[in-house]
Amino acid sequence: MKKNVFVIALFLMFWQQLSLADLTIEISSSSDNALPLAIIPFDYAVGTKQPKTDVAKVIAADLFSSGKFKVLPNVRLPSLPSSLGDVDFTEWRDLDVDNMLLGEISMSKKGLYNIKLTFIDLLRKKEVISKRWENIYENNLRQVAHKMSDQIYQEITGVRGSFNTKIAYVTVKKVSGKKKYSLDIADSDGFNSQPLLRSNKPIMSPSWSPDGKNMAYVSFERGRSEIIVQSLNGKMRKVVASYEGINGSPSWSPDSKKISVTLSKSGSADVYILTLATKKLRRLTYNFAIETESVWAPDGNSLFFNSDRRGKPQIFQVQLGTGAIKRITFEGAYNSNPAISPDGNFLAMVNSSGHFNIGLLDLETSEFNIITNTYLDESPSFSPNGEMILYAMNDKGKAKLAIVAIGNSMTKILSTESGEVRAPSWGPFID
Amino acid sequence: MNICLKKSALFLVIFSALFLGACSDNPKKKSNKSLFESGYGEGDGSQVEVIGAGGQGNIDGYNVGLNEDGSIGIDPSELGADLEPIIYFEFDSYIINDKGLSIIKHYAEILEENEDEAIVLLGHTDERGSPGYNLALGEKRAKAAKESFMLYGIEDKRIEVITLGESQPMIEGSNEMAWSQNRRVEIKIK
């Protein structure tokens, strides 16, 4: 039965009732080689209204979740210096603490917040980061905290932090026995969640455009899979692929002008490139087997995808210039759902030899490691700095997200109390 | 502004109701001759709300009201468990076993006697492995079932194939009992 009737009407959102379902966070394991860090409780100037956001706590949680820092508990702080001049360097050396964060929060003339944050290298006895933010709304204090976390992370590790970024994911809730799907975005720590789309039908495979403006995803709102591109502000929404058969697994080109997709309009599932401006399709694979879940190499010259052309799914790479196809994964009976690191050096994927976990392949050395130990892991997505992987998993029958720091065992679990959460995609850097 | 928006929402509700009313009166349907439960392509109307991010308070989105329902509503007790219109599969496989073939044969015979009926085959997988791959695997299962229907003489154009991948399990749960029920192709009247 075909019905091509769209009823488009304005809709009034009752935001307070429907939103604000932040993800719940738990840290499942911690790392041994973490760098000790002192975060001194911030100074609040006289007359400052206590904000709901504890900026120091947000920074501490960010840095701790990277697995590279451990923050001294407040009870173990030997003193509470308020500036570099107050610091007794020997007492901190005795505690093996090399770095310290100080903060001052005051009200601006406009009744908003002024924040001054100072990061001190206790060995060099100097301020290495000193930042001021002025006239900040209370709602934006978390963002200030994430920006400071990014700076500290970069100062210590040499790599840009990706705390001040967003993630997208799909939540599934049962309302009077019926499943309700929502495509949401949130801060990288699961706070400030906002819906982009709600549907009575499944939403799959959200993919964030590298320019941060649009989301591509699969929606079953008309009973079968279609690929939709939607702007984050909700003003633009287009069905970009609605061919007979599968319309799945959208992935953006690095220049945000094309998406690779899976279509089965010519028989079996194959990978195509869709140029969004011209709607022109280029077919990349011609095999009778399943070819799907393509992702672009960061240089835009090749794509990785999975194919069961050898019987079980494995990852292959296709060169756009020549069309040449090469097998990439050999470890395990099942490798699917590739994700490529931002520097193009590592490939993450769903790997199984019985269990389903996230595997990480060094494309230069071919070293392969399983980096997760949760259950039924899928949908890996790199943080924009390549240091962490966000993925979906199953915890006692409930779908949750997890973030694992590459190179240490730190894993953070993100879940929603009222339902399930899956299909994560980590957004780009916000400049 | 708010009043205007509310009116539009009301319009949507009324329009949807009218449209659904018209739909349930479909004169072409001859479901009384069929043993299938007709559960696809009718129902309460699907809709999505599109919402813009980045704002506070009320955000003006728009509502796309649609009218198809992919809900799965089989009641095997009406059909006899042996002949329920579902074909089951092994993990990561789209091979139809003898039981599946006998089910397809049974429904192919019904289709032979009801020349105006067409079917849709809904391919599903269990939750394991990656969702994108499972979307393709669900289609392979439904297409394998379609080929079998065609071998029993049912014309290509009477069989639509839709994959739902792992998105709509029959049974919730992360164990082999649930998974074995979820790896399936459902036969639905169109």
Side-chain angles (χ1 to χ4, degrees):
Chain A
M1 192 185 290
K2 290 252 156 56
K3 295 194 201 76
N4 292 318
V5 180
F6 269 77
V7 181
I8 298 178
L10 287 170
F11 191 83
L12 181 66
M13 278 284 305
F14 296 96
W15 192 269
Q16 294 83 350
Q17 289 168 25
L18 298 171
S19 182
L20 307 173
D22 283 337
L23 298 177
T24 311
I25 298 148
E26 56 186 289
I27 302 277
S28 79
S29 56
S30 63
S31 160
D32 298 334
N33 299 323
L35 195 72
L37 180 72
I39 296 182
I40 308 300
F42 289 178
D43 273 346
Y44 286 87
V46 177
T48 303
K49 182 175 152 266
Q50 187 80 23
K52 276 180 233 126
T53 299
D54 185 335
V55 175
K57 260 193 184 165
V58 175
I59 295 171
D62 279 347
L63 295 173
F64 179 66
S65 74
S66 73
K68 295 191 171 171
F69 299 90
K70 57 184 170 205
V71 179
L72 241 61
N74 283 353
V75 291
R76 286 192 54 210
L77 298 173
S79 61
L80 302 176
S82 56
S83 70
L84 182 65
D86 288 349
V87 178
D88 173 358
F89 292 100
T90 50
E91 67 182 4
W92 298 100
R93 194 187 308 139
D94 294 345
L95 283 168
D96 196 28
V97 173
D98 295 347
N99 294 282
M100 174 185 285
L101 177 67
L102 304 175
E104 289 171 42
I105 297 188
S106 58
M107 298 308 267
S108 71
K109 283 180 191 142
K110 292 180 182 168
L112 304 173
Y113 290 97
N114 289 341
I115 304 107
K116 179 168 185 266
L117 298 175
T118 308
F119 193 64
I120 294 169
D121 182 331
L122 295 166
L123 296 178
R124 289 190 280 161
K125 301 182 182 176
K126 63 183 270 198
E127 295 181 358
V128 286
I129 304 169
S130 183
K131 296 286 287 183
R132 274 187 75 86
W133 284 269
E134 288 177 355
N135 291 313
I136 302 297
Y137 284 93
E138 187 169 0
N139 287 343
N140 294 333
L141 287 176
R142 294 193 73 88
Q143 200 184 357
V144 166
H146 294 317
K147 284 185 171 185
M148 189 64 189
S149 301
D150 283 350
Q151 296 238 343
I152 294 169
Y153 192 86
Q154 181 150 18
E155 174 65 29
I156 300 292
T157 68
V159 176
R160 183 174 178 179
S162 55
F163 302 108
N164 184 36
T165 55
K166 300 264 185 187
I167 58 173
Y169 50 86
V170 175
T171 61
V172 189
K173 283 172 193 155
K174 269 200 173 158
V175 180
S176 5
K178 287 200 169 173
K179 282 188 179 172
K180 303 282 180 190
Y181 301 83
S182 180
L183 172 60
D184 294 355
I185 60 170
D187 295 349
S188 71
D189 62 355
F191 280 80
N192 287 328
S193 70
Q194 287 180 293
L196 292 185
L197 179 83
R198 292 200 186 86
S199 178
N200 296 331
K201 294 293 153 57
I203 304 166
M204 276 180 73
S205 310
S207 171
W208 212 305
S209 68
D211 63 12
K213 292 175 183 162
N214 297 300
M215 198 77 72
Y217 55 87
V218 175
S219 173
F220 285 79
E221 66 203 51
R222 289 198 278 186
R224 46 188 289 278
S225 62
E226 293 177 301
I227 297 170
I228 288 166
V229 171
Q230 181 182 329
S231 63
L232 285 197
N233 63 16
K235 287 180 177 159
M236 186 278 287
R237 186 172 195 262
K238 275 185 201 157
V239 177
V240 297
S242 183
Y243 297 93
E244 188 184 348
I246 297 170
N247 298 275
S249 300
S251 167
W252 293 85
S253 63
D255 64 4
S256 297
K257 290 178 177 164
K258 297 170 185 172
I259 53 173
S260 60
V261 298
T262 299
L263 306 175
S264 62
K265 66 188 182 70
S266 303
S268 67
D270 279 298
V271 176
Y272 293 74
I273 291 175
L274 172 65
T275 303
L276 290 168
T278 61
K279 293 180 178 146
K280 219 182 94 195
L281 275 179
R282 174 183 170 190
R283 188 171 174 182
L284 285 183
T285 63
Y286 291 85
N287 203 283
F288 61 88
I290 292 171
E291 336 275 356
T292 186
E293 298 182 323
S294 57
V295 286
W296 297 69
D299 64 8
N301 294 330
S302 67
L303 279 86
F304 297 89
F305 63 96
N306 100 61
S307 170
D308 72 342
R309 58 179 68 191
R310 308 280 174 88
K312 294 284 168 195
Q314 294 291 346
I315 313 291
F316 293 76
Q317 182 180 21
V318 56
Q319 296 294 332
L320 291 182
T322 61
I325 290 176
K326 185 173 88 173
R327 182 171 169 179
I328 299 294
T329 55
F330 295 90
E331 300 260 357
Y334 185 112
N335 285 291
S336 68
N337 213 176
I340 185 83
S341 64
D343 62 9
N345 293 336
F346 291 90
L347 195 75
M349 81 280 308
V350 176
N351 172 275
S352 173
S353 308
H355 302 285
F356 292 84
N357 289 116
I358 304 301
L360 188 68
L361 177 67
D362 183 328
L363 291 172
E364 244 166 61
T365 66
S366 295
E367 187 187 332
F368 177 84
N369 288 295
I370 301 288
I371 57 163
T372 62
N373 58 5
T374 40
Y375 183 58
L376 298 182
D377 304 338
E378 61 187 34
S379 306
S381 176
F382 279 90
S383 61
N385 66 359
E387 300 265 292
M388 293 188 256
I389 290 177
L390 169 67
Y391 65 97
M393 54 86 159
N394 182 304
D395 182 14
K396 300 179 198 82
K398 185 172 165 172
K400 296 180 176 180
L401 304 185
I403 296 174
V404 60
I406 298 169
N408 62 58
S409 59
M410 182 64 92
T411 302
K412 186 164 77 170
I413 314 285
L414 304 174
S415 59
T416 170
E417 276 175 23
S418 52
E420 303 205 284
V421 54
R422 56 181 84 231
S425 171
W426 206 319
F429 282 124
I430 301 164
D431 288 313
Chain B
M1 185 61 182
N2 274 355
I3 290 165
C4 164
L5 285 169
K6 275 177 185 161
K7 274 187 180 162
S8 300
L10 184 63
F11 164 77
L12 173 72
V13 169
I14 292 167
F15 191 92
S16 301
L18 287 172
F19 192 66
L20 284 169
C23 170
S24 60
D25 217 342
N26 190 339
K28 276 193 267 176
K29 189 123 279 172
K30 298 203 300 182
S31 52
N32 56 331
K33 278 194 176 180
S34 174
L35 278 180
F36 310 87
E37 179 165 327
S38 157
Y40 198 80
E42 288 183 30
D44 58 354
S46 169
Q47 54 181 232
V48 295
E49 292 163 34
V50 182
I51 304 134
Q56 301 273 332
N58 289 337
I59 296 282
D60 296 346
Y62 61 91
N63 196 9
V64 186
L66 297 157
N67 200 31
E68 281 202 31
D69 179 26
S71 68
I72 289 145
I74 287 184
D75 183 358
S77 61
E78 284 181 22
L79 300 156
D82 277 336
L83 295 173
E84 65 173 338
I86 305 178
I87 304 143
Y88 296 98
F89 294 82
E90 295 297 310
F91 175 69
D92 195 25
S93 164
Y94 44 92
I95 295 167
I96 295 172
N97 61 21
D98 291 346
K99 174 85 187 297
L101 279 178
S102 67
I103 287 166
I104 289 170
K105 184 161 179 275
H106 173 77
Y107 288 99
E109 283 163 3
I110 294 173
L111 284 169
E112 291 265 13
E113 291 163 16
N114 295 272
E115 287 179 359
D116 295 339
E117 301 261 31
I119 54 167
V120 55
L121 299 171
L122 298 170
H124 300 266
T125 70
D126 69 28
E127 63 180 338
R128 293 176 293 167
S130 58
Y133 178 77
N134 283 339
L135 192 65
L137 181 60
E139 183 175 73
K140 278 223 161 187
R141 286 175 177 163
K143 282 188 168 167
K146 177 176 176 172
E147 277 173 22
S148 299
F149 269 104
M150 288 167 69
L151 286 175
Y152 288 118
I154 307 305
E155 277 181 291
D156 187 354
K157 65 179 184 192
R158 294 174 71 190
I159 310 166
E160 187 184 357
V161 160
I162 291 178
T163 175
L164 297 163
E166 64 179 67
S167 69
Q168 298 192 5
M170 176 76 88
I171 293 182
E172 305 280 344
S174 299
N175 51 65
E176 182 50 39
M177 194 280 290
W179 294 330
S180 65
Q181 297 290 300
N182 293 336
R183 296 187 297 262
R184 70 200 191 276
V185 168
E186 296 174 30
I187 308 164
K188 298 274 187 180
I189 199 92
K190 250 172 138 176

